[in-house]
Amino acid sequence: MASDSSYVLYHYTPNLPCAILLAVLFALTTIFHLYQRIKVHSKYFNPFIVGGIFQIIGYGARAGSHFYMHSTILYAIQSLLILLAPTLYAASIYMVLGRIISFLHGEHLSYIPVKWMTKVFVAGDVLSFILQAAGGGIMTSGSENTIKIGQWVIVAGLCVQLMFFGAFVLTSLIFHIKIIRRPTIESERSTDKHGSIWPRDWRGLLFACYSTSLLILIRSIYRLIEFVQGNDGYVISHEVFLYVFDAAMMFSVMVVMNVLHPSFVLNKRIESPTVQSDRDIQWKSDVEMQQHSALSRD
């Protein structure tokens, strides 16, 4: 990048207070996620925490860029880490869906076998990560033509991310609809009966996955527009877009998963009562008959 004197790193002076504030906010939510990870042994959230660390370093480097606007090292660090963090969030969110389905014993309601689900979506996420990282690496060293190649490689990575995220949301919705129509015993017993707006059960966790997925999708569309327009485009020339459509949304993703951490649901044990009443036995029998009838129709 340094070899091309015509290339402008920033079309503005990076805002110092905003960069520091975001670094602090991401540090707080990441520390809380680390505490939750250690407390409940949720290994599947390791990528999520690494994504938070990427954000902290990224916005820290961006704060440094306020004083050293022509530093290609600081520019590369903040650009690459902030760009890649959401792919790490996505990896953990993908793993949560498979665990929800297994937790509810609803494997027969998923059109993608659960044993393949996490592998397929995470593989797509890894491909997206590699493409975006490679594109970012190309952009940080080369001529103007090479930089344009790097931008289009990143665009390809973002398209892969959008495609797999769309498939993930569709998979989640199909499972959600099916388990409402044909509830399993586990889904009935683990449902919050208090009627809260955002129940802290499997339904609330699914809605958390939907909301975080939507936030990441909007952010990825913003990034796609940014890189398609190029370095002299309107979006990349105005810093406000970064903070509205990337920073704020990714911070919201982390906070949502703090408030409704998957462990609140997935670490629960659904235990059968020691002594069952005739009503309980009849209810269980009716549910099993409904499942059997639904499977027969399928």
Side-chain angles (χ1 to χ4, degrees):
M1 186 179 292
S3 63
D4 186 357
S5 59
S6 66
Y7 189 89
V8 179
L9 298 181
Y10 298 100
H11 294 273
Y12 48 78
T13 300
N15 188 293
L16 181 62
C18 284
I20 293 176
L21 176 63
L22 264 297
V24 171
L25 290 176
F26 276 113
L28 292 174
T29 183
T30 301
I31 290 171
F32 190 29
H33 271 294
L34 182 60
Y35 164 76
Q36 290 175 308
R37 156 68 181 89
I38 294 172
K39 182 179 180 181
V40 298
H41 310 289
S42 51
K43 294 181 180 180
Y44 53 89
F45 248 58
N46 287 346
F48 204 94
I49 295 170
V50 174
I53 294 172
F54 273 25
Q55 299 279 20
I56 298 166
I57 298 173
Y59 284 102
R62 193 170 181 86
S65 292
H66 174 84
F67 302 102
Y68 302 98
M69 286 183 58
H70 301 292
S71 171
T72 55
I73 294 177
L74 286 176
Y75 177 82
I77 291 173
Q78 66 86 28
S79 179
L80 196 58
L81 295 186
I82 294 174
L83 176 68
L84 294 176
T87 62
L88 295 168
Y89 298 155
S92 289
I93 293 171
Y94 290 150
M95 288 186 271
V96 168
L97 178 60
R99 283 167 169 77
I100 292 174
I101 295 173
S102 298
F103 174 77
L104 299 176
H105 292 184
E107 291 86 351
H108 60 288
L109 300 176
S110 174
Y111 78 93
I112 298 179
V114 175
K115 65 178 180 180
W116 292 107
M117 182 176 295
T118 298
K119 295 176 183 177
V120 168
F121 287 125
V122 172
D125 199 54
V126 170
L127 176 59
S128 172
F129 184 97
I130 292 172
L131 286 171
Q132 292 182 64
I138 293 171
M139 285 183 63
T140 58
S141 59
S143 64
E144 185 175 358
N145 288 334
T146 308
I147 291 168
K148 289 182 179 178
I149 292 173
Q151 289 175 337
W152 285 106
V153 172
I154 291 175
V155 167
L158 289 169
C159 287
V160 170
Q161 187 178 56
L162 286 169
M163 181 180 67
F164 276 88
F165 243 117
F168 168 76
V169 172
L170 182 61
T171 301
S172 303
L173 285 171
I174 291 174
F175 169 75
H176 198 168
I177 292 170
K178 284 187 174 182
I179 200 165
I180 290 174
R181 292 176 176 175
R182 313 169 195 171
T184 62
I185 295 172
E186 290 74 15
S187 70
E188 290 286 351
R189 285 184 177 163
S190 61
T191 297
D192 184 356
K193 305 298 184 181
H194 299 295
S196 56
I197 297 176
W198 195 302
R200 301 190 84 177
D201 58 16
W202 62 271
R203 299 171 303 161
L205 185 51
L206 271 177
F207 282 120
C209 289
Y210 295 149
S211 61
T212 52
S213 296
L214 179 61
L215 290 170
I216 295 175
L217 277 171
I218 294 173
R219 173 264 175 197
S220 296
I221 292 172
Y222 147 69
R223 284 293 194 172
L224 189 62
I225 295 171
E226 176 188 28
F227 284 105
V228 167
Q229 288 185 347
N231 188 55
D232 56 351
Y234 182 81
V235 172
I236 200 172
S237 302
H238 294 77
E239 189 177 20
V240 63
F241 290 113
L242 173 71
Y243 288 107
V244 172
F245 292 107
D246 196 317
M249 293 200 171
M250 294 307 95
F251 177 68
S252 298
V253 166
M254 296 199 71
V255 171
V256 167
M257 284 303 183
N258 276 137
V259 174
L260 190 56
H261 195 274
S263 64
F264 295 154
V265 177
L266 302 180
N267 282 25
K268 290 179 181 178
R269 294 290 179 267
I270 306 174
E271 298 180 356
S272 300
T274 304
V275 179
Q276 294 182 317
S277 65
D278 292 340
R279 183 180 177 184
D280 291 334
I281 295 172
Q282 183 61 45
W283 168 77
K284 181 176 179 180
S285 176
D286 290 344
V287 171
E288 289 176 342
M289 287 178 66
Q290 290 175 11
Q291 291 177 7
H292 179 73
S293 177
L295 288 173
S296 298
R297 290 197 302 270
D298 291 343

